[in-house]
């Protein structure tokens, strides 16, 4: 979501006549867009601001305006300006489109500007998208869940939903412009409801699937992904719709956070390991070959060796294709700060290393099982592996490297998988691009 917010900011700056600078020393405006999900993000922000301060203290011919945006901006507001005097303006997550007015005020010498008001505006027709194959589409903002470790309800607010009509209009436009894949964005997309009709997220996926199969959206969006799903709102209906809709990618990111029922209760997650495993079973029964990824936290307050073992056992049973894992760090204004952060840093680090080693071994084994199979790959650009390769993803979100020129970018190709690595596959194209 922060990436897409940056695209919107870049588009607003373009519309105001700014051009992207190649070096901070040449810039008239510098935006630092932030995330506060983990403590490290805040540390990085003030380190960066310390480096940028030199641009104002040095002999530069002009002094740039420095702004902080995103989740830390929403959370800290005027505290940022008080701590770092080089900051000229602060814009929160729900006031993105106020950038032109805030910049004007700062340029006119009205002093440091801080705006964290609730001014959500979903439409972003001028967004300067970083990718020409894949595009983000925001369908909602905020979260109502108040997981005890999570700062999102504070930094993104409570849930506000975009209408199905507006979402479909944006998708139609992206398809006409030649995008091949979209990702629907929300803190908890499963809880989306059309504010006008009450349609749920499963109905939205069906509506998108019908649109893309019709003549009303020529061009070629071939795949629809979505982030992020909360397990408590993953209904059997939604799973069935995922299995039926031909445009919906066969992949689901389903954050579990912990395998311990006791810790899940402390996290205020509203599901158990057993109910989560039932969802995984239905997903694999309904969507053969579905790719599964997740988020995991180790070292949550009070996590015992048995709690951690429960997480390891869950990972072994689910066998995720990939996951993101983190050491717990307390975030301000969350319920978990009422608990003692009593798991020693050394124990957190050891558990994280053990968990990641298990994940790597599972991913390596899963990838090896792809060798000899054929997959449909959407090529999205040059490979990070070798300069002579391009890369793309399967519907199940597996990365595939293959020999070919950049003219394959944006095309679907059938690929025979010839070898595998720890985090990606290698294959040979066996069909013309389409």
């Amino acid at each position: 979501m922060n990436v897409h917010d940056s695209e919107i900011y870049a588009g607003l700056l373009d519309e105001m006549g700014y051009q992207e600078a190649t070096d901070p020393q040449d810039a008239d405006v510098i935006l630092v867009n932030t995330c506060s999900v983990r403590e490290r993000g805040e540390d990085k922000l003030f380190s960066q601001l310390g480096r940028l301060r030199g641009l104002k203290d040095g002999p530069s011919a002009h002094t740039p305006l420095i702004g902080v945006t995103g989740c830390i901006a929403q959370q800290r507001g005027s505290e940022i300006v008080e701590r770092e005097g080089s900051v000229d303006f602060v814009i929160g997550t729900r006031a993105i489109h106020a950038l032109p007015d805030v910049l004007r005020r700062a340029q006119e010498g009205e002093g440091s500007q801080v705006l964290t008001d609730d001014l959500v505006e979903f439409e972003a027709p001028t967004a300067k998208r970083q990718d020409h194959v894949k595009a983000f589409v925001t369908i909602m903002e905020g979260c109502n869940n108040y997981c005890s470790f999570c700062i999102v309800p504070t930094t993104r607010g409570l849930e506000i939903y975009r209408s199905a009509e507006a979402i479909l209009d944006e998708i139609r436009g992206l398809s006409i412009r030649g995008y091949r894949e979209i990702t629907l964005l929300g803190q908890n997309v499963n809880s989306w409801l059309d504010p006008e009709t009450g349609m749920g997220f499963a109905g939205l996926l069906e509506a998108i699937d019908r649109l893309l199969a019709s003549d009303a959206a020529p061009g070629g969006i071939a795949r629809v992904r979505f982030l992020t799903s909360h397990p408590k709102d993953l209904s059997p209906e939604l799973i069935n719709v995922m299995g039926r809709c031909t445009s919906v990618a066969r992949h689901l990111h389903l954050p579990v956070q912990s395998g311990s029922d006791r810790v899940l209760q402390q996290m205020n997650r509203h599901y158990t390991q057993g109910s989560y495993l039932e969802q995984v079973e239905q997903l694999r029964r309904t969507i053969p070959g579905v790719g599964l990824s997740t988020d995991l936290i180790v070292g949550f307050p009070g996590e015992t060796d048995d709690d951690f073992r429960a997480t390891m056992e869950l990972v072994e049973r689910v066998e995720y294709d990939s996951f993101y894992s983190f050491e717990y760090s307390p975030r301000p204004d969350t319920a978990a700060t009422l608990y003692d952060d009593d798991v020693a840093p050394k124990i957190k680090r050891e558990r994280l290393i053990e968990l990641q080693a298990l994940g790597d071994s599972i991913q390596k084994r899963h990838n090896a099982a792809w060798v000899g199979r054929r997959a449909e790959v959407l090529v999205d650009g040059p490979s990070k592996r070798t300069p002579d390769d391009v890369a793309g993803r399967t519907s199940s979100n597996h990365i595939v490297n293959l020999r070919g020129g950049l003219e394959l970018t944006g095309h679907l190709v059938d690929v025979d998988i010839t070898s595998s690595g720890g985090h990606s596959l290698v294959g040979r194209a066996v069909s013309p691009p389409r």
Side-chain angles (χ1 to χ4, degrees):
M1 295 198 75
N2 282 30
V3 170
H4 189 39
D5 288 350
S6 292
E7 293 177 338
I8 295 170
Y9 276 123
L12 290 170
L13 288 166
D14 271 5
E15 198 172 35
M16 296 169 65
Y18 286 93
Q19 295 179 338
E20 186 173 351
T22 57
D23 190 297
Q25 293 185 351
D26 301 325
D28 297 300
V29 177
I30 298 173
L31 299 186
V32 185
N33 197 18
T34 64
C35 174
S36 61
V37 169
R38 291 180 296 283
E39 186 176 11
R40 184 164 172 260
E42 193 163 329
D43 294 338
K44 289 171 66 177
L45 165 64
F46 285 102
S47 294
Q48 176 76 332
L49 291 177
R51 289 189 290 270
L52 293 175
R53 188 190 314 130
L55 298 179
K56 293 197 170 187
D57 296 339
S60 175
H62 67 278
T63 300
L65 292 173
I66 298 175
V68 177
T69 62
C71 293
I72 299 176
Q74 184 71 36
Q75 174 194 359
R76 295 297 189 186
S78 59
E79 294 178 29
I80 296 173
V81 176
E82 293 166 4
R83 178 171 170 179
E84 180 52 69
S86 64
V87 174
D88 297 286
F89 61 93
V90 174
I91 300 177
T93 54
R94 294 195 166 199
I96 292 175
H97 291 270
L99 174 65
D101 186 55
V102 169
L103 264 182
R104 178 185 58 79
R105 291 174 179 273
Q107 288 167 336
E108 292 176 355
E110 295 188 21
S112 299
Q113 302 293 305
V114 177
L115 185 62
T116 57
D117 295 351
D118 197 343
L119 304 170
V120 173
E121 185 178 333
F122 286 115
E123 306 310 313
T126 62
K128 188 175 181 179
R129 300 182 186 272
Q130 297 181 10
D131 197 305
H132 298 294
V133 177
K134 300 176 291 186
F136 297 120
V137 177
T138 301
I139 68 169
M140 62 179 291
E141 272 281 354
C143 183
N144 295 346
N145 285 310
Y146 285 98
C147 299
S148 65
F149 58 84
C150 185
I151 200 170
V152 164
T154 300
T155 59
R156 290 277 179 175
L158 297 180
E159 293 176 359
I160 299 178
Y161 312 116
R162 190 180 184 189
S163 73
E165 181 181 4
I167 295 167
L168 293 171
D169 280 346
E170 181 171 357
I171 292 171
R172 184 183 296 109
L174 291 169
S175 188
I176 292 171
R177 289 164 59 188
Y179 285 91
R180 302 306 310 275
E181 178 180 295
I182 57 167
T183 299
L184 308 176
L185 295 179
Q187 271 75 29
N188 178 19
V189 291
N190 296 356
S191 66
W192 176 88
L193 289 172
D194 187 328
E196 298 170 2
T197 66
M199 174 197 293
F201 186 59
L204 177 64
L205 289 182
E206 289 184 307
I208 293 171
D209 198 57
R210 287 193 299 270
L211 171 68
L212 297 179
S214 72
D215 295 332
I221 292 176
R223 288 183 188 161
V224 178
R225 302 186 187 274
F226 51 89
L227 290 169
T228 292
S229 292
H230 195 299
K232 80 176 182 63
D233 297 312
L234 180 65
S235 65
E237 177 194 11
L238 177 53
I239 294 173
N240 289 330
V241 165
M242 288 179 63
R244 288 199 304 267
C245 291
T246 58
S247 65
V248 175
R250 306 172 84 79
H251 170 257
L252 183 65
H253 186 72
L254 192 63
V256 67
Q257 308 300 355
S258 174
S260 163
D261 287 349
R262 190 190 67 81
V263 172
L264 288 172
Q265 185 176 21
Q266 291 286 89
M267 288 179 167
N268 196 35
R269 292 291 286 177
H270 300 287
Y271 56 84
T272 64
Q273 183 192 112
S275 65
Y276 184 91
L277 289 171
E278 288 174 4
Q279 291 176 327
V280 170
E281 182 181 347
Q282 186 187 359
L283 280 161
R284 288 184 165 148
R285 186 173 59 247
T286 306
I287 314 168
V290 64
L292 290 177
S293 55
T294 197
D295 296 336
L296 292 158
I297 295 172
V298 300
F300 188 77
E303 182 186 70
T304 64
D305 287 342
D306 287 343
D307 292 326
F308 176 65
R309 287 296 134 209
T311 296
M312 294 288 284
E313 289 165 7
L314 174 73
V315 172
E316 288 172 341
R317 292 184 65 177
V318 176
E319 294 202 334
Y320 295 102
D321 295 282
S322 63
F323 60 72
Y324 300 97
S325 53
F326 315 96
E327 298 175 34
Y328 170 77
S329 61
R331 307 307 297 126
D333 305 317
T334 60
T337 57
L338 300 175
Y339 308 143
D340 290 333
D341 186 13
D342 55 359
V343 181
K346 180 175 182 291
I347 299 298
K348 289 181 183 180
R349 174 57 51 178
E350 289 173 349
R351 288 176 180 173
L352 184 66
I353 291 171
E354 185 178 354
L355 178 62
Q356 291 178 342
L358 174 61
D360 288 344
S361 67
I362 292 171
Q363 187 174 10
K364 185 176 181 180
R365 177 160 44 83
H366 277 203
N367 286 349
W370 275 86
V371 177
R373 294 167 57 184
R374 180 168 295 180
E376 184 182 66
V377 174
L378 175 59
V379 178
D380 53 27
S383 170
K384 296 178 181 179
R385 182 173 169 269
T386 68
D388 295 325
D389 290 350
V390 290
R393 292 180 185 262
T394 66
S395 179
S396 57
N397 209 39
H398 289 82
I399 299 171
V400 181
N401 299 282
L402 61 147
R403 186 57 53 90
L406 291 178
E407 67 275 5
L408 291 177
T409 301
H411 291 282
L412 290 164
V413 291
D414 293 330
V415 176
D416 282 346
I417 306 302
T418 57
S419 63
S420 67
H423 301 286
S424 64
L425 309 171
V426 178
R428 179 181 63 253
V430 294
S431 75
R434 54 191 185 277

